[in-house]
Amino acid sequence: DGRATAVLPLMAPTGPNAVKVSFAGSSDLLPSSASSAFTIVKQPTQLAISPQPAQGQYSDVVEVSATLTDGLNRALREKTVFLVAGNASPSMTLPSITNYNGQTVPEPISLPAGVYPLTAYFMGVIPVGNGATVELDDRLYELSLRNGTLTIVAENATVTYTGAVAG
């Protein structure tokens, strides 16, 4: 019927491209060719924060991780994700590289008691502390961020004195 189909992996950078096909012809068919324009766009991404909401006691280390996936919910490995706890002083910015499951290694967060915004960033404008930011871009994937909450509470501890009382 004169149709041909091919599956091509898109390895070119984002932007406009063209595909061209040709048939050299045969003893009973004439040669022919065709071309068509198409655009490669960045793939969307998604972030998740775990646990959420995150909470712990101020004397303990609270571990939080993030998971990065693409638009088809496939894990993205070896990508840098930033976890930012707080939005002023005190705050912490923790960069981490995703593993084969798209997960960052749980990062220890140690802040005074309080309720903090917790944000995971993949690319974009990222606060890195003291009012400074860094802007990052990926040639294949769109930026994404996920907001959450981190609650640090006072230590749940008691002291029992068993010594003698002087006096």
Side-chain angles (χ1 to χ4, degrees):
D1 69 0
R3 294 178 186 245
T5 302
V7 176
L8 304 171
L10 299 178
M11 304 304 280
T14 58
N17 288 277
V19 62
K20 298 176 183 176
V21 296
S22 62
F23 173 66
S26 67
S27 60
D28 58 338
L29 297 171
L30 295 173
S32 64
S33 65
S35 65
S36 180
F38 67 96
T39 302
I40 298 175
V41 297
K42 291 182 179 186
Q43 191 172 153
T45 59
Q46 303 170 114
L47 279 165
I49 299 173
S50 180
Q52 200 41 229
Q55 56 188 4
Q57 296 179 354
Y58 72 83
S59 63
D60 299 333
V61 174
V62 179
E63 291 188 345
V64 178
S65 66
T67 302
L68 177 65
T69 55
D70 68 11
L72 299 174
N73 206 32
R74 296 177 299 199
L76 292 178
R77 66 181 184 188
E78 298 176 359
K79 299 290 182 184
T80 303
V81 172
F82 289 80
L83 285 171
V84 178
N87 56 9
S89 181
S91 68
M92 292 183 73
T93 300
L94 305 163
S96 188
I97 305 295
T98 58
N99 64 16
Y100 65 97
N101 285 325
Q103 297 173 328
T104 62
V105 174
E107 293 290 344
I109 298 175
S110 183
L111 291 168
V115 177
Y116 301 93
L118 180 64
T119 306
Y121 293 87
F122 174 66
M123 301 298 130
V125 179
I126 302 159
V128 292
N130 296 324
T133 60
V134 63
E135 187 169 357
L136 301 175
D137 188 38
D138 188 279
R139 67 182 189 89
L140 300 177
Y141 297 99
E142 292 180 355
L143 65 89
S144 61
L145 63 90
R146 174 67 61 166
N147 292 312
T149 303
L150 170 65
T151 302
I152 306 292
V153 296
E155 180 66 38
N156 184 12
T158 58
V159 175
T160 304
Y161 180 72
T162 58
V165 177

